[in-house]
Amino acid sequence: MTNTPSKGRRVATQQAVRKGGVPPTLVVALVAILASAGALAIQQPTEDPEQRAVVAPATRPLTSLSILCPAAVQGSPDLVIGQGVEGGTADDGTLVSRAAEGEKSEDLDLAPGGAGPVDASRDAVVVTGTGTRAPGLFGARFGGPGRPAAGQCAEPSGERWFVGVGAAGGLHESKLLLANPDTGPAVADLSLWSTTGELIDVASRGLTVPGHGSTVIDLAELAPNRDELAVQVTVSRGRVAASVSDDYTPLEGDPVSEWLPPTAAPATTQLVPGLPRTMDEPKLVLANPGADAGRVTLQVVGERSTFTPSGLKEISVGSGEVVVADLPPKLVKQLAEENASLRITSTVPVSGSLRAVVSGDLVHLPAVEELTGDSATALPGGAGSVLTLTPTDKAGQARVEFPGQDRDPETVRLTPGTTTTVPIPAKARAVVVRGTTAYVGSVRTITPKGASVLPLQALDVEQLIPDVRPEWP
């Protein structure tokens, strides 16, 4: 038997069709389809993202640049500021300084593209250039007459390494200065390593630096340790500039104060330029933050060739450890014969720095970042300074300029595996190097009252402008 629908139900359906009616379920379905099509039409890109041409990031001249200049140590009143880019007038921008902890700013009297001492606070200061006064800004703090202590001004950076800092109180004590050039708060983390491994129980994470403020961290209080330390500063929010002041007592001598420059990030090959011809208590500090142990070999990059002194042994560097080694007497003897750089080659990435006593003064010589293009540093002035340049790979040339000096630029040839030196005029307060190949360099100053080594710093003259676009699925 077959079930059939009732006559009443069949008649009602036929009447609805005859009257042109549409079932409610069909109306709802049609509305949903139209709404979805409209939404897709609105979201659909005007062109296929795979077919759109890729636009490389563009560059334009910097319009603002801030550098942190460290506070003066005893007998260091001199702050020298320079600009490695010529052009523009004083009306095209501003050049001001303000205390690293404060809001009040003061105009600095410095001709565009020039270099020289400026009248600024003895406290740590942030120097800011805007407009045409921003590109190529650099500077350094120096000691008084006859004492060439030197501490460079530092740009904000997302990461900084300091190797060979002290946390032993009176014998060797370092203080880390973190400064925020912006109005909003910034956050930084510190990672520390010693000769026994990473210091994981130190309260050094999430350090907040207020806007237009600064923080001084005494490492002897943060992580008391008799051994040399390595410190990595990592910025997780905002911008932070970092510098380190260092107090050290030589084995035979009075306590001295100096600034400790940053070192290059860990790598398997590094160069330490500007080695003194004579030095006492030379100690090489190597930091291996990785999980694998390694071996380090040392070579001398001299004026004529690169060589390994006979009998020089490899240095073992444990995983996650700092190693402090005396520079071998054979190597020190070789360095006394010519101007040279020290090449550090390792089987694992390491960061290194050399500490020595020269003319009774403390000197820090860091492994430095490779440079391409233009670089510069301020100078202490006076006799006894020499520029050293060492190419890292290929041959090329370097044009050496002394802003503010009535002297024609000097062009020198850079030959791989050798170190080239250029004497510096006594009255020069800055040197600018424009290289055609990758190189490292520094200015070494030695007087009867002390010594200093200032690495060349890359000149920031442009900023990247990204190509911003939506990312389609």
Side-chain angles (χ1 to χ4, degrees), residues 329-353:
K330 288 185 178 181
L331 181 55
V332 176
K333 184 178 180 180
Q334 293 280 355
L335 295 175
E337 298 178 0
E338 57 185 316
N339 293 303
S341 296
L342 181 66
R343 184 187 298 276
I344 302 173
T345 304
S346 176
T347 58
V348 296
V350 300
S351 187
S353 181

Side-chain angles (χ1 to χ4, degrees), residues 135-161:
L137 187 64
F138 63 92
R141 182 84 73 173
F142 294 101
R147 184 177 181 272
Q152 287 177 317
C153 303
E155 291 185 29
S157 175
E159 181 186 74
R160 277 281 187 260
W161 287 82

Side-chain angles (χ1 to χ4, degrees), residues 73-245:
V73 296
Q74 184 178 3
S76 61
D78 209 355
L79 175 61
V80 175
I81 299 297
Q83 189 178 14
V85 177
E86 297 181 351
T89 67
D91 297 331
D92 295 331
T94 61
L95 185 64
V96 300
S97 71
R98 65 166 179 81
E101 188 70 39
E103 297 289 344
K104 184 179 179 181
S105 61
E106 299 179 355
D107 292 336
L108 297 181
D109 184 14
L110 181 70
V118 296
D119 186 12
S121 170
R122 290 178 56 85
D123 297 328
V125 297
V126 174
V127 177
T128 300
T130 63
T132 59
R133 311 303 302 276
L137 187 64
F138 63 92
R141 182 84 73 173
F142 294 101
R147 184 177 181 272
Q152 287 177 317
C153 303
E155 291 185 29
S157 175
E159 181 186 74
R160 277 281 187 260
W161 287 82
F162 298 93
V163 176
V165 301
L171 295 177
H172 187 196
E173 183 174 2
S174 304
K175 292 182 174 63
L176 173 66
L177 170 64
L178 304 176
N180 179 0
D182 301 322
T183 56
V187 179
D189 298 325
L190 305 185
S191 300
L192 297 93
W193 291 266
S194 74
T195 56
T196 58
E198 185 174 3
L199 305 180
I200 59 177
D201 296 329
V202 177
S204 58
R205 302 287 177 172
L207 303 176
T208 299
V209 186
H212 282 184
S214 62
T215 299
V216 177
I217 300 170
D218 189 336
L219 295 175
E221 295 180 0
L222 177 68
N225 200 301
R226 296 183 59 183
D227 301 318
E228 309 293 332
L229 302 179
V231 178
Q232 179 192 24
V233 181
T234 306
V235 181
S236 57
R237 176 182 177 183
R239 296 194 305 155
V240 171
S243 70
V244 171
S245 59

Side-chain angles (χ1 to χ4, degrees), residues 23 30 32 48 91 122 145 150 167 177 182 229 244 264 314 324 354 358 361 367 403 417 443:
L30 288 173
D48 186 350
D91 297 331
R122 290 178 56 85
L177 170 64
D182 301 322
L229 302 179
V244 171
E314 293 182 332
V324 182
L354 177 66
V358 181
D361 194 13
V443 172

Side-chain angles (χ1 to χ4, degrees), residues 255-267:
V256 293
S257 297
E258 186 58 275
W259 295 279
L260 190 149
T263 64

Side-chain angles (χ1 to χ4, degrees), residues 60-67 80-87 95 110-115 127-140 153 155 374-378 403 430-434 457-463:
R60 70 180 183 190
L62 281 174
T63 56
S64 179
L65 180 62
S66 295
I67 55 177
V80 175
I81 299 297
Q83 189 178 14
V85 177
E86 297 181 351
L95 185 64
L110 181 70
V127 177
T128 300
T130 63
T132 59
R133 311 303 302 276
L137 187 64
F138 63 92
C153 303
E155 291 185 29
D374 297 349
S375 63
T377 185
V431 59
V432 177
V433 177
R434 309 190 191 279
Q457 296 178 310
L459 291 182
D460 280 345
V461 298
E462 294 180 328
Q463 58 186 344

